[in-house]
Amino acid sequence: MECSNGQLKNYAEVFEMDNRIISKWDESQLYYENELRELYQSIYNNNEAYEQLILSLKSYYDLRPLKLKKRDMDQGQWIQKRDTVGIMLYVDCFAGNLKKLAKKASYFKSLGITLVHLMPLLKPREGQNDGGYAVQSYRDIDPKIGNIDDFQHVIDTFHKSGIRICIDFVMNHTAKEHEWAQKAIQGIKPYDEFYLMYDSDEIPRAYEQTVPQVFPKVSPGNFTYYESYNKWVFTSFYEYQWDLNYANPLVFNAMAENMLYFANIGIDLIRLDAIPFIWKELGTNCRNLPNVHKLLRMFQIITKMIAPSSAILGEAIVEPHEIVKYFGQDDKIECNLLYNASYMVDIWNSIATRDGRCLSHSVNRYIPKETCWINYARCHDDIGWGIDDNIIRGLGLDPYSHKQFLINFYNGTMKDTFARGQLYEFNPENMDARNSGTLASLAGLEKAVYESDDYQKELSIKRIKLIHAIVLLSKGVPMIYSGDEVGALNDYSYEHNNDKAHDSRWLHRGVFDWKKEISKDPIKSKVYDDTKQLIELRKQFPIFDGEINQINMQLFNKHVFGFIRRSEDDELNPIIALFNFSEENQLVGTYDIKQNQIYGSKTDLLQGKTINLDEETILLAPLEFLILQ
């Protein structure tokens, strides 16, 4: 076969690039090997296990498809780009199964979504499985939605449409039906040391003295006793979820291999579940321990060595001063992305109180430049009211009373509340609880529809748009929860399902309604169009790139939250964002903006109207927001 000079040149370029990719393992090994070995041995001091790990890593590198090695040239920098917009969903609730999901790529592309987070889809145990977080097999897909070939088709289809894929990697525990657990029960080595299992309750009782309970109501205690084989097993979450023993190097090795298996089929973002829990140590609360950070750094190094275009998202819903530690340091990244849970809680607090000061006072802690927050308003989980008590006291409020206000407001039981939700994990002893519900129902749409109140419908749609604007335009990667982009309401059908009725979080995990076209429903159409407009705005302006700073303003008017996005060198025109949480007109003094060295006339990027900062005040209509540049 003859080739033209142009074809020969193209082939030469491809060959040269392939050689660079193929030789990359040696460079990565030299760069990361010393740190990986040092970290590994500081925990395990086991040369044989370490050498087994290295052999495994080389094997996964050799098996990595060339098309993915070419994607690796991106080095994971996509998380900082403004066109990275995510949505999270359950495959069965959204599309039914994986084959049908593959056909929804056009829906995501039309909306502007470039990252799809698929909630747990690995094979779970039968019956109750904590929404899929009780994994029975790390190499098989839940048969209810398809198989691994179907999943590979989804990945390839989405990649061709410019959409990246994120999956949950449940690393703290497995289902008790997992092959490892079944072998551990039988005393088969080395699996008998894969879990924290004890012949008596002496050590479990010692742990219980210092380890808090995760679900004191529905799953009390941290251990489960199994009479049939006379063992006490560490079960932080539910009885059917057995905590892995990361003090065993073979557990780390096995989990690293499982993670790389998914990286090698094309997963772009790996969500590590419940990371604060993975290291257990007597005499501690078994949360956020130093070895957790070492383990995460090793997972990050391994990802960089084998699949550098993939990134790690950590799930650590802990105190703000603790969560930021999971980013690591500039030269020692642990997680590339973390959930901005405090931001989410502060948004809902501001919606209920019509007061933006909690958002304004949220601390902008330094994070490494290669990392980002995931900003979100709702997710598959409940809302826990973990607002900083010092901030609440600084606003002249009592933390306990204010928390009770939020719980009752979003439960829908308080007089004059517009929200409709339910309690999760209610504790009658201290009246503590968390709240469940969809974004639209918590923002007032369900109540307005039920009461046929057109004005309240209008206000609730404005709240939804305002919330989405904060999430989509703040510094970080925005993540929309499936259904919120069309104003989905609470789904109460879970109450009639024996496997779900005990868990109110299924209230906001409803089935996506594909029967009625979005365009034919005026409310769904309006919410969808608003969301799409905000996504397009985010992508249009470089000021919304991930590395651009955000400064929260301290405004005199408590009903308004505002921030400034500006580049360090002021090469880009800064934007000023103002959000009115009140159902009344509000005035904002321009002095609050001009003290940030921003002057003159500005244009709202959505409405096109002009605001002159030379005037003393800016008028914001009820629930209006302005994005000024």
Side-chain angles (χ1 to χ4, degrees), residues 389 392-405:
D389 287 352
I392 295 298
R393 291 191 186 97
L395 299 178
L397 301 171
D398 173 67
Y400 176 81
S401 299
H402 188 65
K403 189 173 188 179
Q404 289 302 305
F405 161 77

Side-chain angles (χ1 to χ4, degrees), residues 2-166:
E2 295 184 1
C3 301
S4 67
N5 289 336
Q7 287 175 312
L8 285 172
K9 182 180 179 181
N10 290 337
Y11 288 144
E13 289 175 350
V14 170
F15 181 74
E16 181 182 352
M17 182 170 69
D18 289 353
N19 276 340
R20 289 203 310 272
I21 293 171
I22 291 168
S23 66
K24 197 172 182 181
W25 163 256
D26 293 330
E27 297 171 12
S28 297
Q29 185 181 26
L30 289 172
Y31 186 80
Y32 291 113
E33 171 88 21
N34 289 337
E35 186 185 356
L36 180 61
R37 181 186 292 274
E38 181 180 345
L39 287 168
Y40 194 94
Q41 298 294 35
S42 71
I43 298 176
Y44 300 121
N45 191 27
N46 189 317
N47 289 324
E48 182 180 356
Y50 179 77
E51 294 304 323
Q52 289 176 0
L53 174 66
I54 292 299
L55 288 174
S56 177
L57 298 187
K58 289 181 178 179
S59 174
Y60 276 93
Y61 180 81
D62 291 340
L63 292 171
R64 187 162 176 78
L66 184 59
K67 64 180 180 180
L68 295 181
K69 289 184 177 180
K70 290 178 179 178
R71 286 174 73 89
D72 290 339
M73 304 298 282
D74 185 35
Q75 289 288 318
Q77 295 171 357
W78 55 270
I79 67 170
Q80 293 280 3
K81 296 178 180 177
R82 63 186 181 277
D83 64 356
T84 299
V85 179
I87 194 168
M88 60 191 304
L89 57 91
Y90 284 95
V91 173
D92 56 342
C93 294
F94 182 78
N97 58 47
L98 288 167
K99 288 181 179 178
K100 293 179 180 178
L101 178 65
K103 298 176 181 179
K104 302 299 183 185
S106 58
Y107 173 81
F108 299 125
K109 194 168 183 178
S110 176
L111 181 59
I113 298 298
T114 57
L115 172 65
V116 176
H117 174 197
L118 303 177
M119 302 299 291
L121 48 67
L122 303 183
K123 183 180 179 180
R125 70 187 298 272
E126 292 292 328
Q128 292 187 12
N129 54 46
D130 191 23
Y133 287 97
V135 176
Q136 185 172 335
S137 172
Y138 286 105
R139 302 298 176 99
D140 295 308
I141 299 296
D142 185 345
K144 294 178 182 177
I145 61 171
N147 56 41
I148 196 67
D149 291 332
D150 298 329
F151 187 37
Q152 186 68 67
H153 177 61
V154 169
I155 296 169
D156 294 340
T157 301
F158 280 26
H159 279 181
K160 289 177 183 177
S161 297
I163 300 169
R164 290 182 168 85
I165 297 284
C166 170

Side-chain angles (χ1 to χ4, degrees), residues 299-336:
F299 278 121
Q300 176 69 223
I301 289 173
I302 288 169
T303 303
K304 285 291 186 184
M305 293 173 80
I306 311 303
S309 62
S310 297
I312 289 177
L313 163 60
E315 193 240 2
I317 310 303
V318 294
E319 299 86 347
H321 70 277
E322 284 290 348
I323 188 172
V324 73
K325 297 176 184 177
Y326 286 97
F327 281 118
Q329 304 167 21
D330 280 316
D331 59 342
K332 296 185 187 305
I333 303 298
E334 295 175 20
C335 296
N336 305 97

Side-chain angles (χ1 to χ4, degrees), residues 149-254:
D149 291 332
D150 298 329
F151 187 37
Q152 186 68 67
H153 177 61
V154 169
I155 296 169
D156 294 340
T157 301
F158 280 26
H159 279 181
K160 289 177 183 177
S161 297
I163 300 169
R164 290 182 168 85
I165 297 284
C166 170
I167 67 163
D168 279 279
F169 184 60
V170 185
M171 63 182 307
N172 177 71
H173 48 261
T174 72
K176 65 180 182 181
E177 291 82 5
H178 191 284
E179 179 186 7
W180 297 344
Q182 292 301 301
K183 289 182 177 179
I185 292 170
Q186 300 171 50
I188 299 175
K189 295 184 179 301
Y191 304 100
D192 58 336
E193 295 183 358
F194 266 44
Y195 301 88
L196 295 109
M197 305 173 67
Y198 303 96
D199 295 329
S200 75
D201 68 346
E202 180 182 356
I203 295 178
R205 280 191 292 108
Y207 271 113
E208 295 285 15
Q209 296 298 312
T210 58
V211 181
Q213 301 178 64
V214 178
F215 299 130
K217 180 182 176 183
V218 297
S219 183
N222 290 284
F223 284 83
T224 301
Y225 175 66
Y226 295 91
E227 186 176 358
S228 57
Y229 36 93
N230 192 31
K231 292 284 185 183
W232 294 84
V233 182
F234 211 126
T235 53
S236 292
F237 293 88
Y238 291 101
E239 171 274 328
Y240 49 79
Q241 292 167 309
W242 288 11
D243 288 44
L244 288 163
N245 176 22
Y246 276 91
N248 180 350
L250 298 185
V251 169
F252 177 86
N253 290 7

Side-chain angles (χ1 to χ4, degrees), residues 515-530:
K515 294 179 182 178
K516 190 173 183 180
E517 291 184 30
I518 295 171
S519 60
K520 294 181 179 180
D521 185 313
I523 292 178
K524 287 185 176 180
S525 178
K526 174 60 175 168
V527 174
Y528 178 89
D529 289 344
D530 285 347

